Amino acid sequence: MRSSLHKAAVLSAIAIMIIGSGCSSRRESVKREFTAMGTLASIISLDDGDRTAIPSEEATQIAQKEFSRLEKTFTVYSLSSDVSRINRAAGQEWVDVSPDMVTLLAAARRYGELSGGAFDVTVGPIVRAWGFNSGVTPAAPLPPERIRQLLDTVGYGTIEVRPGAARLTRKDVMVDLGGIAKGYAVDIAWDLIQRKGGKNFIVNLGGNMRVSGQPSSKRPWTIGVRHPFSKEEIVGRMTLKDGMAVATSGNYERFVTIKGRKYAHIFDPRTGMPVEGMASVTVIGPSAVEVDALSTSCFVLGMDKAMDLLAKLPGNEAIFIPDSQPMTIWITPGMKDIFECFSQWTSTVKIISR
Ligand code: AMP
Ligand code: MG
């Protein structure tokens, strides 16, 4: 399965790992993995003999079906997807699209506005020109005049939606939903699993996760935060209450190497340049689509400006790990009671003053 959201994301290690449910043998959590939207997905569900809850098999089937349905809408690798049709008609006409597409584009525009343009799903031409989703890596970093040209085609303000339809008001604009679609899909699956009777479970799509209930009456779900400089390690864990979601944007996930230098897949839509200086940003909050958009936005904005954005959206908390040595783990004040750092890194944790 291929799509822009995703392609190389199969390789992109899941930034966050589920590190334990604290279950006893009578309350067993079952993990079922599959690929979806070009990445690894999983459903972890508590099979504890509760006949009022749906079995994990059924929860998995629901998620698989929803992810596959949404991929057909959001992928740029199919000419008939909503996204491809909108991109082809850029600067021309309204395109009939699914309600999911309308909802997601409206959300994308909103996060564009809230982040002052740091989050922009029309960054697609820049992402491609730097060698992502196009299969062609440039031989040298893009020259300033090429970047200026490309920036003319970037602007979330060109996205317009109305019930059942969407359009891009400028020619050559291209939507790339890679920074937000997986989170949206997680919310959709989470919601449907709950409505069909799911109680204690986690939906995970490439590290975008949302939890429901808890694995035992005594403790909540715990999710590990990956060490950005050491693939197999985690620096600590977060406890997530019922309904909470988490997403991580990292510079280690996808990158291209140009003239021996690595460039990560997250771009500043205001400059056209790959973002440097940040290794990872993890955001937790009340919805998967919001934390997905926020982790990407905060990665672009850097810590200080990211704090202004987070202040506009209460309920979201973040962990920032700058791309510098020695490693420092910066956490928002509200993260203090959620994130437990492993002892060897405790001295590296700093709380950001608001
Ligand atoms: P994430 O891993 O959720 O941070 O999303 C990164 C993906 O979003 C990239 O692979 C691009 O497809 C896309 N993207 C890159 N930069 C931005 C940006 N500034 N705003 C929105 N989407 C972006
Ligand atoms: Mg994101």
Side-chain angles (χ1 to χ4, degrees):
M1 212 182 285
R2 293 176 9 124
S3 85
S4 88
L5 312 175
H6 345 330
K7 204 174 145 197
V10 177
L11 300 172
S12 85
I14 293 178
I16 301 170
M17 286 169 264
I18 300 150
I19 54 172
S21 59
C23 303
S24 73
S25 55
R26 273 183 298 120
R27 294 174 63 88
E28 198 183 330
S29 65
V30 180
K31 181 176 181 182
R32 294 183 197 270
E33 289 184 322
F34 52 98
T35 52
M37 290 185 159
T39 190
L40 192 62
S42 62
I43 299 297
I44 294 181
S45 169
L46 195 64
D47 274 346
D48 58 354
D50 177 352
R51 284 175 193 279
T52 64
I54 56 167
S56 53
E57 191 65 51
E58 199 178 325
T60 307
Q61 278 167 10
I62 293 169
Q64 269 177 315
K65 206 167 143 206
E66 287 307 297
F67 292 163
S68 141
R69 182 179 69 78
L70 292 170
E71 171 158 30
K72 289 192 186 98
T73 305
F74 299 143
T75 181
V76 291
Y77 289 101
S78 153
L79 289 176
S80 59
S81 71
D82 282 2
V83 140
S84 294
R85 290 186 305 110
I86 292 170
N87 286 344
R88 273 205 304 281
Q92 298 165 43
E93 62 213 0
W94 285 92
V95 176
D96 290 342
V97 293
S98 64
D100 287 303
M101 193 71 212
V102 171
T103 307
L104 187 53
L105 284 178
R109 238 196 103 123
R110 178 166 168 262
Y111 293 116
E113 281 156 14
L114 283 164
S115 67
F119 185 80
D120 192 330
V121 292
T122 67
V123 76
I126 305 253
V127 175
R128 281 179 70 87
W130 279 94
F132 295 92
N133 307 334
S134 63
V136 187
T137 307
L142 300 191
E145 56 280 15
R146 175 81 183 114
I147 291 179
R148 263 195 303 276
Q149 263 174 5
L150 289 164
L151 283 175
D152 275 348
T153 66
V154 173
Y156 62 85
T158 62
I159 301 171
E160 289 186 355
V161 292
R162 68 183 187 202
R167 72 167 171 181
L168 298 167
T169 57
R170 208 185 310 152
K171 194 171 161 279
D172 296 329
V173 175
M174 209 181 98
V175 168
D176 167 356
L177 296 169
I180 191 168
K182 288 199 279 292
Y184 179 80
V186 166
D187 280 336
I188 294 284
W190 184 91
D191 209 47
L192 198 56
I193 293 171
Q194 272 215 336
R195 280 193 280 126
K196 299 265 182 183
K199 287 183 178 166
N200 303 298
F201 62 89
I202 302 179
V203 179
N204 170 25
L205 181 56
N208 296 269
M209 298 187 200
R210 189 157 174 200
V211 311
S212 172
Q214 51 191 65
S216 106
S217 56
K218 293 197 184 71
R219 50 187 128 177
W221 292 107
T222 54
I223 309 283
V225 178
R226 188 179 139 173
H227 191 311
F229 310 123
S230 174
K231 222 173 165 183
E232 307 303 326
E233 281 182 86
I234 49 179
V235 293
R237 62 178 164 217
M238 298 173 294
T239 48
L240 292 198
K241 289 198 187 117
D242 181 27
M244 294 298 276
V246 58
T248 293
S249 293
N251 69 355
Y252 48 81
E253 289 181 316
R254 294 173 69 193
F255 50 82
V256 289
T257 308
I258 304 172
K259 288 204 184 295
R261 187 159 165 196
K262 279 183 179 176
Y263 296 93
H265 66 135
I266 301 175
F267 289 82
D268 188 332
R270 301 160 303 181
T271 63
M273 293 298 290
V275 176
E276 291 181 289
M278 194 63 84
S280 74
V281 179
T282 296
V283 180
I284 64 145
S287 91
V289 70
E290 183 146 300
V291 294
D292 194 3
L294 282 181
S295 67
T296 312
S297 311
C298 292
F299 192 96
V300 175
L301 286 169
M303 226 158 56
D304 287 350
K305 297 225 167 65
M307 290 305 283
D308 297 339
L309 173 60
L310 291 169
K312 293 184 210 166
L313 295 164
N316 293 286
E317 302 292 340
I319 301 173
F320 300 85
I321 307 184
D323 191 8
S324 55
Q325 298 296 336
M327 178 170 74
T328 308
I329 303 172
W330 293 91
I331 64 171
T332 55
M335 196 48 108
K336 224 172 34 190
D337 301 327
I338 294 164
F339 175 64
E340 184 199 345
C341 190
F342 293 149
S343 54
Q344 62 269 47
W345 287 290
T346 317
S347 62
T348 70
V349 177
K350 293 200 162 81
I351 298 167
I352 307 165
S353 52
R354 289 236 199 220

